[in-house]
């Protein structure tokens, strides 16, 4: 097959000046990439731009030296068709008949294009039927000048084959792709020279190197042949433009592909695929509803985010998960430590290298701290990209970790470091739970620019009742479980997840139900947290649970705080101690109650005893803020011990907040932004040493006496007794009553009883009391394990000290003001 050299070809002038017919064989240079591609079968008006002379002033400059394009005679058609057929386009003309375009991949690395005309009544010879065409990447008025000095418009005659079909063949070098060809026909009809376009009276247009693609899966995916597939949901966008970058530091894309709604759209999914030959490193989208200039936004389904905050064109890095086994702890066995990835180690006091402070890798360097505390699960505040001004509870993306939480090197390094963290924690028997926000986003989230009416119900509130929002959330959660081996999720602002399209309360919220029965997610820990970060308060509701959802128990927090400051009925304390049956009795159990007394938004445990606040249910113990008064400091120390004691002695999952073990305080401020990073030097203080030892003791005790303190089911009536001071029934409804005692009796039906009964007493009053103890079982005596009113180190002991009878025939225990006591019955013979 012979091709004419460039010098042997002729080129046309612009049609406004009168076109010159070119020979049947043309070779030409190609150009550099333009800015935007429009594939618009129904909208491109290439002919209009030729007539009115718009082409000349929109020529894209820049030439390569190697010839990459050729027009072939019709006789070469069999050669073109021997390649791999990639796609076929069939157009209907405005005059009847069809135009068929076949695109093939040739063996020599080129694209072959064959254009055929059939069933069109023409009365002329092949020299009189002309294809007037141009190649473009921007829009139809920005044609690529395929040879030096031309305006980008070519006229190529058709030839007639033996079947009386008009056809012409074109060849393009693969390195020129992707691009589009726009054309119309010029031919004689009834003695006149006319232009023939599509039945929509627009130019015929087809793509080379860009295919229709597939609507599933959403996001970027790789086909079996190595081609890239892009898919994006947008119901309301009138125009979607795929923007490709060959340099992540560039502000402008190297190529923009205007997706055709007739070819690149299935329902509400816009999609396209292209060969992976082009050197593309990142991508994004422009979604337009009119003629306005829209910004380039991140694909909501991007798994890897580049330096330009757009999706990277790459697969997620492979990771060796061999030998990784989740601890898969029963819910009732969990002891949780909540932390923020950045604040946990970013302080210089962590003594970690600068490059890993505040990262996932730094968490694994502090494994010893988790072991010192005795926790077996960590709850990470949101790790996805978020609004840096508002904080981690205002996400901008759902599928990838925040790059600043990883080492230098971008998303790939961050992803690998997070997976390595999970693997190492699992190897040490520690589960990893994530806080997630699925009810709202930050102001600049891409979802609002892609399709706000579909994704949002109002402002930045996500419409969790919308099927597309549900799919996005479910896909992201499964991604964290499957790809990152996450063990569970805590859903912040869960009370808003029950709302419908118009904010109405739904009895069966579809998203909550879908998570509860999802074959993957339902096997993880799923926890509802009713805290609303937008208004910085908790909105308690009767949460629909399907016997699968656990909850952050806000009532436990408020009522324990109220009791210890002397402003709550003892009946409320009793309910919380027994696992909050008023919330979890209907089909769940005490293990579904995640108990806490302090959290990252609000006063720390030190703040609760240093500042009086009606909204925080806190008491300053006699003086506001910092003080040197001994009696105030002693009361505060006892109150902190009381908080921790009740947290761990209660049925349910204890959740300890980062920094409470070493007495960190935000000075009475309650917002997340006012929180200080963890100060590792504070662990050496006397307060931190005794508090960490106490927490470790309580965790060990909870494990040792799991028969009474770690239960999946509520205690039976016969396993628990309630007492007042003299073993009389408690004054449940007396607001002046500050004392409550609880007797826990091990089940005699248990084949392996761990030890004897337990007795816990609580005194939130300002004066000392003497608690009368019930007689222990035969052959046993009461041993004191905890008395928060005693000085360190004697206020707790696993071995215990026997309680001695001070009055013959009457066993009583003297309790100081604001103190708690725990006794255990043990055999007299040891």
């Amino acid at each position: 097959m012979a091709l004419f050299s460039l010098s042997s070809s002729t080129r046309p002038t612009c049609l406004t000046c009168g076109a010159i017919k070119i020979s049947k064989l043309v070779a030409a240079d190609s150009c550099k990439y333009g800015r935007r591609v429009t594939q618009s079968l129904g909208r491109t008006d290439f002919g209009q731009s030729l007539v009115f002379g718009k082409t000349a002033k929109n020529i894209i400059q820049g030439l390569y030296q190697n010839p990459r394009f050729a027009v072939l005679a019709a006789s070469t058609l069999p050669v073109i068709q021997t390649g791999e057929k990639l796609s076929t386009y069939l157009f209907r003309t405005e005059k009847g008949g069809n135009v068929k375009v076949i695109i093939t991949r040739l063996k020599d690395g080129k694209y072959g294009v064959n254009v055929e005309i059939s069933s069109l009544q023409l009365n002329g010879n092949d020299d009189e039927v002309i294809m007037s065409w141009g190649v473009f990447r921007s829009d139809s008025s920005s044609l690529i000048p395929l040879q030096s000095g031309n305006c980008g418009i070519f006229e190529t005659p058709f030839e007639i084959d033996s079947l009386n079909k008009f056809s012409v063949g074109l060849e393009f070098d693969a390195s020129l792709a992707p691009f589009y060809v726009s054309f119309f026909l010029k031919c004689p009809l009834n003695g006149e020279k006319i232009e023939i376009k599509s039945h929509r009276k627009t130019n015929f247009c087809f793509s080379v190197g860009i295919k229709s693609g597939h609507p599933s899966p959403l996001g970027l995916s790789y086909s079996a042949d190595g081609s890239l597939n892009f898919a994006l949901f947008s119901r309301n966008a009138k125009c979607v433009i795929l923007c490709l970058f060959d340099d992540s530091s560039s502000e402008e894309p190297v190529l923009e592909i205007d997706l055709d709604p007739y070819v690149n759209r299935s329902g509400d999914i816009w999609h396209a695929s292209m060969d992976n030959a082009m050197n593309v490193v990142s991508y994004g989208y422009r979604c337009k509803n009119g003629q306005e200039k829209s910004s380039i936004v991140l694909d909501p389904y991007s798994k890897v985010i580049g330096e330009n905050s757009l999706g990277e064109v790459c697969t997620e890095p492979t990771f060796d998960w061999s030998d990784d086994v989740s601890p898969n702890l029963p819910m009732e066995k969990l002891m949780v430590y909540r932390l923020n990835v950045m604040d946990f180690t970013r302080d210089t006091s962590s003594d970690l290298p600068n490059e890993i402070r505040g990262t996932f890798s730094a968490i694994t360097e502090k494994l010893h701290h988790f072991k010192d505390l005795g926790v077996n699960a960590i709850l990470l505040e949101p790790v996805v990209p978020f609004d840096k001004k508002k904080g981690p509870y205002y996400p901008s993306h759902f599928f990838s970790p925040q790059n600043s939480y990883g080492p230098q090197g971008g998303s790939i390094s961050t992803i690998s470091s997070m997976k390595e963290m999970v693997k190492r924690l699992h190897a040490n028997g520690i589960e990893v739970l994530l806080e997630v926000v699925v009810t709202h986003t930050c102001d600049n989230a891409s979802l609002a620019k892609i399709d706000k009416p579909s994704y949002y119900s109002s402002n930045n509130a996500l419409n969790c009742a919308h099927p597309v929002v549900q799919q996005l959330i479910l896909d992201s959660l499964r991604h964290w479980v499957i790809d990152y081996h996450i063990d569970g999720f805590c859903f912040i602002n869960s009370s808003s997840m029950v709302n419908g399209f118009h904010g109405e309360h739904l009895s069966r919220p579809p998203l909550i139900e879908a998570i509860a029965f999802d074959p993957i997610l339902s096997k993880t820990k799923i926890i509802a947290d009713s805290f609303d970060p937008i208004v910085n308060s908790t909105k308690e509701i009767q949460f629909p649970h399907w016997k699968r959802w656990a909850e952050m128990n806000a009532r436990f927090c408020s009522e324990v705080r109220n009791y210890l400051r002397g402003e709550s009925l003892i009946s409320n304390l009793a309910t919380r101690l027994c696992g909050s049956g008023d919330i979890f009795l209907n089909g769940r159990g005490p293990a579904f109650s995640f108990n806490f007394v302090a959290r990252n938004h609000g006063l720390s445990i030190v703040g609760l005893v240093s500042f009086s606040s009606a909204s925080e249910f806190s008491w300053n113990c006699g003086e506001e803020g910092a003080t040197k008064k001994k009696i105030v400091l002693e009361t505060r120390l006892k109150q902190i011990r009381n908080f921790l004691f009740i947290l761990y002695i209660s049925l349910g999952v204890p959740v300890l907040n980062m920094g409470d073990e070493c007495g960190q305080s935000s000075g009475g401020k309650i917002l997340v932004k006012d929180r200080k990073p963890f100060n590792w030097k504070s662990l050496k203080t006397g307060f931190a040493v005794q508090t960490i030892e106490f927490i470790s003791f309580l965790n060990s005790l909870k494990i040792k006496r799991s028969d009474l303190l770690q239960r999946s089911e509520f205690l039976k009536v016969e396993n628990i007794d309630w007492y007042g001071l003299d073993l009389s029934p408690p004054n449940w409804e007396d607001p002046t009553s500050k004392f409550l005692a609880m007797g826990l009796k091990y089940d005699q039906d248990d084949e392996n009883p761990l030890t004897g009964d337990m007795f816990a007493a609580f005194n939130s009053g300002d004066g000392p009391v003497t608690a009368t103890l019930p007689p222990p079982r035969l052959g046993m005596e009461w041993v004191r394990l905890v008395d928060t009113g005693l000085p360190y180190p004697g206020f707790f002991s696993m071995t215990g000290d026997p309680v001695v009878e001070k009055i013959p025939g009457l066993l009583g225990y003297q309790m100081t003001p604001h103190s708690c006591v725990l006794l255990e019955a043990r055999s007299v013979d040891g």
Side-chain angles (χ1 to χ4, degrees), residues 141 161 175 196 339 393 505-506 719:
S141 62
D161 61 13
S175 61
I196 299 178
L339 64 89
Y393 294 102
H505 183 91
L506 301 177
N719 291 123

Side-chain angles (χ1 to χ4, degrees), residues 463-528:
N463 186 357
C464 292
H466 196 290
V468 171
V469 178
Q470 294 170 40
Q471 180 185 356
L472 174 73
I473 294 170
L474 292 171
D475 287 345
S476 69
L477 296 174
R478 294 189 197 106
H479 175 65
W480 290 110
V481 175
I482 295 171
D483 287 40
Y484 289 83
H485 291 203
I486 294 301
D487 300 290
F489 304 93
C490 178
F491 294 80
I492 302 298
N493 198 22
S494 57
S495 54
S496 295
M497 295 172 65
V498 305
N499 295 336
F501 278 75
H502 306 290
E504 72 278 14
H505 183 91
L506 301 177
S507 59
R508 296 188 63 175
L511 176 60
I512 295 172
E513 184 174 9
I515 293 173
F517 292 99
D518 186 88
I520 293 175
L521 302 178
S522 62
K523 306 305 179 184
T524 67
K525 278 81 177 179
I526 48 176
I527 312 148

Side-chain angles (χ1 to χ4, degrees), residues 102-169:
I102 302 174
I103 302 174
T104 56
R105 190 194 306 276
L106 305 181
K107 294 180 180 180
D108 55 359
K110 292 181 171 60
Y111 286 105
V113 175
N114 187 69
V115 182
E116 298 178 354
I117 303 174
S118 61
S119 303
L120 183 64
Q121 299 300 319
L122 302 174
N123 52 355
N125 54 49
D126 60 319
D127 286 339
E128 295 177 322
V129 181
I130 296 171
M131 175 179 169
S132 184
W133 60 277
V135 174
F136 62 89
R137 287 200 185 87
S138 177
D139 54 38
S140 60
S141 62
S142 297
L143 303 176
I144 300 175
L146 292 175
Q147 70 181 67
S148 301
N150 93 15
C151 61
I153 305 166
F154 294 88
E155 292 192 350
T156 305
F158 281 83
E159 290 203 359
I160 304 178
D161 61 13
S162 58
L163 299 176
N164 203 34
K165 289 184 178 179
F166 288 79
S167 61
V168 66

Side-chain angles (χ1 to χ4, degrees), residues 77-300:
L77 180 60
V79 177
I80 295 177
Q81 289 184 327
T82 59
E84 173 193 2
K85 183 182 291 186
L86 298 178
S87 55
T88 301
Y89 294 87
L90 184 63
F91 303 97
R92 197 153 44 92
T93 78
E94 60 184 329
K95 300 294 185 181
N98 301 313
V99 174
K100 185 178 183 180
V101 178
I102 302 174
I103 302 174
T104 56
R105 190 194 306 276
L106 305 181
K107 294 180 180 180
D108 55 359
K110 292 181 171 60
Y111 286 105
V113 175
N114 187 69
V115 182
E116 298 178 354
I117 303 174
S118 61
S119 303
L120 183 64
Q121 299 300 319
L122 302 174
N123 52 355
N125 54 49
D126 60 319
D127 286 339
E128 295 177 322
V129 181
I130 296 171
M131 175 179 169
S132 184
W133 60 277
V135 174
F136 62 89
R137 287 200 185 87
S138 177
D139 54 38
S140 60
S141 62
S142 297
L143 303 176
I144 300 175
L146 292 175
Q147 70 181 67
S148 301
N150 93 15
C151 61
I153 305 166
F154 294 88
E155 292 192 350
T156 305
F158 281 83
E159 290 203 359
I160 304 178
D161 61 13
S162 58
L163 299 176
N164 203 34
K165 289 184 178 179
F166 288 79
S167 61
V168 66
L170 311 176
E171 266 191 16
F172 300 94
D173 193 282
S175 61
L176 185 64
F179 59 89
Y180 289 91
V181 176
S182 179
F183 70 95
F184 61 87
L185 307 178
K186 298 174 69 174
C187 59
L189 185 64
N190 299 325
E192 298 181 9
K193 198 77 169 183
I194 64 169
E195 295 177 357
I196 299 178
K197 298 185 178 182
S198 75
H199 71 286
R200 293 193 299 270
K201 301 188 183 303
T202 61
N203 272 37
F204 306 101
C205 180
F206 61 89
S207 62
V208 177
I210 307 170
K211 293 181 286 186
S212 173
H214 307 283
S216 180
L218 290 171
L220 170 66
S221 59
Y222 289 78
S223 302
D225 61 358
S227 62
L228 306 174
N229 191 82
F230 302 88
L232 175 79
F233 166 84
S234 184
R235 173 173 297 172
N236 291 283
K238 304 300 182 186
C239 174
V240 173
I241 302 167
L242 174 62
C243 305
L244 304 175
F245 294 77
D246 62 356
D247 184 352
S248 59
S249 63
S250 175
E251 294 184 359
E252 292 296 326
V254 67
L255 181 63
E256 296 190 17
I257 303 173
D258 194 343
L259 302 184
D260 192 313
Y262 294 97
V263 176
N264 300 105
R265 184 173 184 175
S266 299
D268 296 326
I269 309 296
W270 301 75
H271 46 81
S273 66
M274 57 181 287
D275 293 339
N276 197 15
M278 184 179 174
N279 186 29
V280 175
V281 298
S282 59
Y283 74 102
Y285 293 95
R286 297 188 198 271
C287 297
K288 300 169 63 176
N289 287 312
Q291 299 299 319
E292 76 284 357
K293 177 72 172 180
S294 57
S295 58
I296 301 176
V297 297
L298 173 67
D299 177 4

Side-chain angles (χ1 to χ4, degrees), residues 551-571:
E551 296 182 46
M552 281 289 176
N553 195 341
R555 289 191 208 172
F556 180 95
C557 175
S558 59
E559 291 177 3
V560 169
R561 289 182 181 186
N562 265 333
Y563 171 76
L564 289 179
R565 68 175 184 160
E567 297 187 14
S568 174
L569 295 174
I570 58 174
S571 58

